[in-house]
Amino acid sequence: MRVIVFGAIVVLFTSVLGWYNMRDKPAWAFDGYVYGIRAQVDAGVPYAIALHDAREIYRTKPAMQPAKARASLNSETPLWWNLFAVRALYPAVASLLWRFAGFQSLFYLSLGAYVAAAALLYTLFLRFSTPAVAAVVALFCILNPETQLIGRSDLTDMPAFALLAGALLAAMRYAERGRSIDLAWFAIVAAMLSFTRPVPYDLACAALPLLVAGVWRRGIDLIGISLALTIAVAFVMHLTRAEVPPVDHFGRAVFVTLWVSLVSLVAHAAAPLAAIALYAMRRRADVLICGGMLASIVLTILADPYPTDVMRVVVLPSLIPLGCGFAIAAQAALAAGRAYRNSDAIVREWSGSESILAAPRQKSSHLA
């Protein structure tokens, strides 16, 4: 019963907060312009009309005022149009709401993903802690400024965050139980993630420590699916002639992005504490998956060496494994507190001003 009550609190709180954020301070983004056009096209709107309507909406938004954004706004083909072809799921789902909500569909989808992410995080953290602790840590992640920002945006990142949480949960269950249904759910959610944000390599990294720990069969299954999806994403990008943004001075860009990532993880997510807790529980399969997910940061930085993207592509996904570490640490702290109180009670029971030669006291019944 407590699991349901605390879960309901998490979902209700996140729903209210997400609705308030979306209604009062929606975050219109540069990439949202492209998703707005694609969603209309998916809804059956001719491209020329979709382009015109998106221009009218985004023309006055702050994100579209820089020179590069203005050039994309006035172009017949928006910047990175082909690159976003692989991110097909977000605009496709938004297109189902287009008739009723228009451009607001993009925000409604992010709001729904924001609430779903909270529920999934709570379910994940229940693996490591009591319902109360899991709820507190889930709300800690949901209240993170970057999580709130992405949750009120017209970007694909919040649906991807929720799908990543779902994929990691399915992977943990499969690694623990080896049931085919868990592997099937992992494959489905991982495929949805791959065509929301093309990061299936994160899941391959997450499962890699299972091989080191000797969980060969289950680790190979998870890695195989993830690598197959990585190849599928690369193939789609090749077919659509997706252009990857150029990087000037790649080595320097990687170093700067890595440094910004480390500082941001410490400042915004207190990563060292969570990492220590995860290391302490490193023999568990689900904790190994968390460690592999954190290690995938290296690949993310190599694939996207832009310091300005760190909060969105490094810190936000890292909240999932780091949250598991926080749940472990909080539960351990509570257990230590209970142990301390019990030991203190024993000390008080046997302490006093009597001489050691006096007859000993009778112990209380709860110590018998």
Side-chain angles (χ1 to χ4, degrees):
M1 186 62 182
R2 294 176 69 244
V3 171
I4 297 174
V5 170
F6 280 104
I9 291 172
V10 169
V11 170
L12 180 60
F13 179 88
T14 307
S15 300
V16 173
L17 176 64
W19 179 264
Y20 166 77
N21 285 339
M22 183 193 71
R23 185 194 63 185
D24 287 10
K25 40 186 178 180
W28 297 82
F30 171 79
D31 291 354
Y33 172 62
V34 180
Y35 294 129
I37 298 172
R38 286 192 173 278
Q40 290 181 82
V41 172
D42 289 343
V45 178
Y47 177 81
I49 297 176
L51 183 65
H52 173 270
D53 290 351
R55 281 175 177 168
E56 291 302 308
I57 290 292
Y58 281 85
R59 188 181 304 279
T60 60
K61 306 304 179 186
M64 304 305 292
Q65 301 315 307
K68 188 176 182 180
R70 298 295 295 180
S72 178
L73 189 70
N74 296 323
S75 173
E76 287 302 311
T77 303
L79 188 64
W80 315 129
W81 175 260
N82 289 345
L83 180 64
F84 285 6
V86 73
R87 305 180 185 185
L89 188 61
Y90 178 59
V93 176
S95 71
L96 302 177
L97 305 174
W98 205 267
R99 177 181 175 185
F100 309 100
F103 285 90
Q104 201 66 26
S105 301
L106 300 171
F107 294 93
Y108 285 147
L109 189 53
S110 290
L111 172 61
Y114 186 60
V115 177
L120 287 166
L121 289 175
Y122 172 69
T123 305
L124 266 171
F125 302 155
L126 280 174
R127 301 180 63 86
F128 309 100
S129 63
T130 61
V133 171
V136 170
V137 178
L139 291 177
F140 167 79
C141 295
I142 286 300
L143 286 170
N144 183 281
E146 187 66 15
T147 314
Q148 291 192 64
L149 175 63
I150 298 301
R152 57 184 170 90
S153 75
D154 52 354
L155 297 173
T156 188
D157 296 78
M158 185 48 64
F161 180 72
L163 290 169
L164 179 60
L168 290 175
L169 177 61
M172 290 176 183
R173 288 179 171 174
Y174 181 67
E176 180 182 65
R177 304 185 298 188
R179 294 174 54 184
S180 298
I181 186 65
D182 294 321
L183 184 63
W185 273 115
F186 173 79
I188 293 170
V189 178
M192 295 171 67
L193 170 65
S194 300
F195 292 96
T196 300
R197 282 199 73 244
V199 290
Y201 57 82
D202 282 349
L203 300 176
C205 287
L208 193 60
L210 295 176
L211 303 185
V212 180
V215 192
W216 280 87
R217 174 62 184 275
R218 298 172 190 178
I220 288 174
D221 289 342
L222 295 170
I223 292 172
I225 292 172
S226 303
L227 291 180
L229 289 170
T230 302
I231 294 171
V233 165
F235 183 65
V236 171
M237 293 180 68
H238 174 73
L239 287 181
T240 57
R241 299 181 180 179
E243 297 182 12
V244 178
V247 180
D248 296 329
H249 308 292
F250 182 79
R252 181 178 182 277
V254 168
F255 176 79
V256 173
T257 305
L258 177 60
W259 174 251
V260 173
S261 297
L262 293 175
V263 172
S264 299
L265 286 170
V266 172
H268 293 271
L273 174 62
I276 291 171
L278 290 172
Y279 181 78
M281 301 288 287
R282 62 190 179 277
R283 295 185 181 278
R284 289 181 50 155
D286 45 11
V287 172
L288 288 172
I289 288 174
C290 289
M293 180 62 206
L294 287 175
S296 73
I297 289 173
V298 176
L299 287 182
T300 298
I301 291 173
L302 292 174
D304 192 357
Y306 298 98
T308 54
D309 287 351
V310 163
M311 292 299 297
R312 184 170 56 89
V313 304
V314 174
V315 174
L316 182 65
S318 297
L319 287 177
I320 302 172
L322 290 177
C324 293
F326 278 121
I328 293 172
Q331 195 63 46
L334 288 177
R338 285 194 296 267
Y340 174 79
R341 288 193 299 271
N342 289 339
S343 64
D344 187 53
I346 294 174
V347 170
R348 289 196 307 270
E349 182 69 27
W350 290 97
S351 64
S353 59
E354 298 94 336
S355 166
I356 59 172
L357 298 178
R361 297 180 179 183
Q362 292 297 318
K363 291 189 293 183
S364 299
S365 59
H366 75 277
L367 295 172

